[in-house]
Amino acid sequence: MLLRTELTLLLRARMAMFALILVALLSIAAVAAGMAEVARQRDVIARIAPQQERDLAAIASWVDQGKDPGNAAYYSFHATWDAPEPLAFASLGLRDVAPYILRVRALGLEAQLYDGEAFNPELALPGRFDFAFVLVYLAPLFVIALFHDLVSGEREAGRLRMLDALPGRARRLWVRRVALRGGLLYAALALPLLAGALLSGVPVGQCLAVLGLTGAYLLFWIGLTLLVGRLRWSSVANAATLAGLWLVLTLILPTVAHVAINQAIPVGQGVELSMAQREAVNRAWDIPREETMTRFYAGHPEWRNSPPLPPAFHWKWYFAFHQVGDESVAPRAAAYRNGIEARDRAAQALGWVLPSVGVQAALARLADTDMQAQLAYQDRIRAYHQTLRQFYYRYLFTDTPFGKEDFARTPRFPSS
Amino acid sequence: MSAISLIARDELRLMRRNRVAVVAFALLVLLTLAAAFISWSHQRAIAETRARFQAQAAKEFEAQPDRHPHRMVHYGNFIFRPLGPLAAFDPGVDAYTGNSMFLEGHRQNTANFGDVRQSSLLIRFGQLTPAFVLQVIAPLLLIFLGYGAVARERERGTLRQMLVQGVSARQLVAGKLLALAAVAALIGLPAMIAFLLIAGQPDALAGPMAVIALGYAAYLALWAVIVILVSAMMRRGRDALLALLALWAVLVILVPRVAPDIAANAHALPTRLETDIAIQEDLRRLGDSHNPDDPFFTAFKQKMLRQYGVSRVEDLPVNYKGLLAVEGEKLTSRLFDNYADRSFAVQAAQSGLMNGFGMISPTVALRRLSMAAAGTDLDGHHRFLEQAEAYRFAMVQQLNQLQADAVTYADDVAQDAGADTRKRISADHWQAVPEFRFQPAPASDLLRASLPGLLLLLVWLAIAALALIPIARHVQKARR
């Protein structure tokens, strides 16, 4: 009954209604845009298979003439992909700048793993319009708009004394008002998200986690707003202070922290790794071939009984030095990756202090679109590349002819 | 005139007395200086690392031993995109594009190891640069300092008093605007001084630097006008503040985010995988160099034999395999260029559409102007990619020509034990391959690219300034 009165009051406040409708529209737009982008990425991945088939069939038809496994291994590129998780629409994370499809062949992986996708950097620069953006950046502004004058507004209208004088009801009145405004704001934000999640088939646990996260972030800002409200300043001073806090928490501190983290944790340039790998691989042409084979067999004793190299070129030597080249830069590759992980961990840790960062990180983690997801995709490429090598080595090191039917036996990238 | 300056002086005195305003202003100046310093040291560090790697790559290339030239085609070369001096002010897309590239024969690799792929997610919150501070944060300070300029007078009833005393609304609005514009100038000044200091080389890039200075001045002036407009329109200070905050959130934060999504959906960019496969298919359609009876390569062989007046490839005065390598690279390279042109065209269409949003948001227009003048926009990156491809092609063809001229056909096809040594040519040849030198865009190009953004901003400013006239009339009504 009382709640209905409050609701009527709220409905009459034009600005509050306008704000709530706007939040709902923004949330709907962000969810729709995110879902469209995820659908587009799924389409791109679905388009791969037939094109790959055609490409490999063309290679198979001429490799089949000579049946040299080396030609098959050298000329065939194999597709890998990182399909978006159902929740990816809520937080596109790094998926707009890191590749989600990559072709690899059985040569040195370190020269292939860090390749990028064609994308327009000017579009990536401002960031994408997704739910995470609406929640992290815009939702606090609406909280400020709806809550900054909750008490001060009544004071300025001269009604505060009267409200406080209501016998024993004053506290409950404020609780009711906060709950109503907060609840409606939450609904305007979360319902479109929930609809998107249901349409995308997001597991219930994840759904609850995102809804909880959204609620917690809203509560933080509502709490902060009420806290500032307790200082008994004017509505204008409240709004200005809160907007300043928003600026510091969502724009200034994260950018300052980015600089600090990148300064504190150098990753050793990835290009150093590439250059070292190139030296290691190309050196093989200038040293005795047996030296390469000895190193290769030491790491891969299962092929030790392969017949000795003929005087002419043999592909197994070529693939062996690519393998040895990768192995010689393995410590560097690990260090490079550790550096990136350390940076990521530092940002995650910062999330415990900075809610904006924490929510952004948690959403991207739940949606599996963050740096960890990128690195996990690289791990899957590594594992697949390993099986590819093993597959071709069986032919190369036993001089088994590689025909059309063997192309059909080539391991495919496992869909996760 | 004296009434205007009196009002302005009065407004400024009020701001000076407002402790919060002074602290906020000081913080912004500090932030600008910190951003300038960080940006500058970051840019220096990047320039230093890339120069060091470029030198190392060149040294390693020249230090390669005697080899078959085709081995050097595959050894390839690493090149790095240097950063222009203005990148310290606005690094633009630098963190989002790879800045190093591996160049080799038959393949066109991507530019790799951009900052965005080796940093934490914090990079997506924006980068602390002078450009960022002026584009995003400075308008907010102007809002805080100016939202009450007229609304406050109206709320307290002092507006009516002044009008009755004979001050015209025009004078009042002009005075308030003058005060806020002075503040805007003070906000922009440290950034511009820092800009001059860190960017250096004013003679070579004087034009683009002037456009940047003019653009940011117009942008801040525009916000001063917008703040005064809204303040004069609203009945209460609080309404003015909320309206301005909403406007800022839409123009500075929301529209620049929505625009890329719309642009990306309007013009789909083919993926690298699809392009690679398409190029391979085109190549197969052209001819199969592995097939001795292929019509295309048979015709090429006949042409070469006729040209040199011999009947067998063994009798050619040059190495036929080298000629074949030159021809093959020419074919693939032409395809690379075709597909790259198509990709560039799509990206240019995307960016063009996004820049159109400058008509809705002055921040988009300013960003366009700023990156274009600094040479750190998409065009700057494409410039690098085009020069990289041209250099790759020249380097590979120089090495292929060496194969044709310095390795005999008989040695090249020999398979005996000593053949490997006979195929190798002297390492001196590698030193004859020129180093990669990135040619930065001339100042006139940067200037031309940044003018549309500047024009758009000036139109914005003119429209906003014209809107002051009816608003002054509206304020005048308070007299009654």
Side-chain angles (χ1 to χ4, degrees), chain A residues 324-409:
Chain A
V324 170
D326 269 357
E327 285 164 4
S328 71
V329 294
R332 272 176 196 265
Y336 179 57
R337 186 198 166 105
N338 287 341
I340 295 176
E341 278 182 330
R343 282 181 171 182
D344 195 47
R345 268 197 308 276
Q348 305 266 356
L350 187 74
W352 293 105
V353 191
L354 275 184
S356 54
V357 174
V359 168
Q360 185 90 293
L363 263 181
R365 182 81 289 276
L366 282 168
D368 212 24
T369 55
D370 58 353
M371 184 56 84
Q372 282 183 55
Q374 290 308 317
L375 294 175
Y377 176 43
Q378 289 189 353
D379 286 344
R380 280 190 287 139
I381 297 175
R382 268 184 204 284
Y384 174 60
H385 189 259
Q386 185 57 30
T387 48
L388 274 180
R389 275 180 159 158
Q390 288 302 327
F391 172 75
Y392 286 117
Y393 289 172
R394 268 205 301 283
Y395 294 85
L396 283 166
F397 286 88
T398 57
D399 289 317
T400 310
F402 197 101
K404 240 183 188 145
E405 62 290 352
D406 296 292
F407 273 88
R409 291 196 194 106

Side-chain angles (χ1 to χ4, degrees), chain A residues 51-62:
Chain A
Q51 300 188 43
Q52 269 295 117
E53 290 301 323
R54 268 198 328 233
D55 192 49
L56 283 175
I59 294 166
S61 69
W62 80 258

Side-chain angles (χ1 to χ4, degrees), chain B residues 121-180:
Chain B
L121 78 144
L122 289 174
I123 195 172
R124 304 312 293 272
F125 280 82
Q127 284 164 286
L128 192 61
T129 61
F132 173 77
V133 172
L134 289 184
Q135 287 169 6
V136 177
I137 301 174
L140 207 55
L141 184 67
L142 287 178
I143 290 174
F144 287 146
L145 295 180
Y147 72 89
V150 184
R152 186 188 60 233
E153 309 278 6
R154 189 195 293 271
E155 214 170 351
R156 292 185 189 155
T158 42
L159 174 62
R160 190 155 177 274
Q161 266 175 29
M162 282 197 276
L163 294 176
V164 170
Q165 280 164 3
V167 180
S168 78
R170 271 187 193 202
Q171 285 170 326
L172 179 83
V173 169
K176 299 286 187 185
L177 181 61
L178 192 62
L180 201 59

Side-chain angles (χ1 to χ4, degrees), chain B residues 422-466:
Chain B
R422 295 201 306 275
K423 285 178 200 183
R424 290 171 186 255
I425 63 169
S426 157
D428 299 341
H429 288 106
W430 319 148
Q431 279 140 35
V433 177
E435 279 179 37
F436 176 71
R437 293 239 186 280
F438 178 69
Q439 295 299 325
S444 56
D445 280 16
L446 297 178
L447 203 61
R448 204 173 317 122
S450 61
L451 285 181
L454 183 65
L455 193 69
L456 208 50
L457 267 181
L458 292 177
V459 171
W460 265 94
L461 185 59
I463 292 174
L466 284 176

Side-chain angles (χ1 to χ4, degrees), chain A residues 219-229 242 245-246 249:
Chain A
L219 279 180
F220 166 78
W221 277 101
I222 293 173
L224 192 66
T225 310
L226 295 181
L227 218 57
V228 170
L242 286 163
L245 280 171
W246 176 87
L249 289 177

Side-chain angles (χ1 to χ4, degrees), chain A residues 186-379:
Chain A
Y186 181 69
L189 261 179
L191 286 181
L193 177 78
L194 193 62
L198 291 178
L199 285 174
S200 309
V202 176
V204 180
Q206 275 191 359
C207 259
L208 293 178
V210 179
L211 291 177
L213 202 62
T214 307
Y217 190 60
L218 278 188
L219 279 180
F220 166 78
W221 277 101
I222 293 173
L224 192 66
T225 310
L226 295 181
L227 218 57
V228 170
R230 287 184 68 112
L231 297 172
R232 302 186 63 86
W233 291 339
S234 65
S235 297
V236 171
N238 285 349
T241 311
L242 286 163
L245 280 171
W246 176 87
L247 178 72
V248 171
L249 289 177
T250 56
L251 283 181
I252 296 182
L253 287 182
T255 51
V256 172
H258 168 64
V259 175
I261 287 177
N262 278 15
Q263 284 289 326
I265 310 170
V267 291
Q269 296 287 322
V271 67
E272 259 174 344
L273 163 67
S274 293
M275 288 167 79
Q277 197 256 6
R278 172 180 74 151
E279 287 305 316
V281 166
N282 282 276
R283 211 170 69 89
W285 291 92
D286 306 315
I287 58 174
R289 293 188 299 170
E290 283 64 35
E291 208 173 291
T292 302
M293 297 318 287
T294 314
R295 269 190 77 178
F296 177 80
Y297 289 136
H300 307 271
E302 64 271 32
W303 308 116
R304 189 175 288 161
N305 297 327
S306 177
L309 289 175
F313 174 82
H314 194 290
W315 277 113
K316 70 182 171 191
W317 164 71
Y318 190 89
F319 282 87
F321 75 65
H322 271 268
Q323 175 98 46
V324 170
D326 269 357
E327 285 164 4
S328 71
V329 294
R332 272 176 196 265
Y336 179 57
R337 186 198 166 105
N338 287 341
I340 295 176
E341 278 182 330
R343 282 181 171 182
D344 195 47
R345 268 197 308 276
Q348 305 266 356
L350 187 74
W352 293 105
V353 191
L354 275 184
S356 54
V357 174
V359 168
Q360 185 90 293
L363 263 181
R365 182 81 289 276
L366 282 168
D368 212 24
T369 55
D370 58 353
M371 184 56 84
Q372 282 183 55
Q374 290 308 317
L375 294 175
Y377 176 43
Q378 289 189 353
D379 286 344

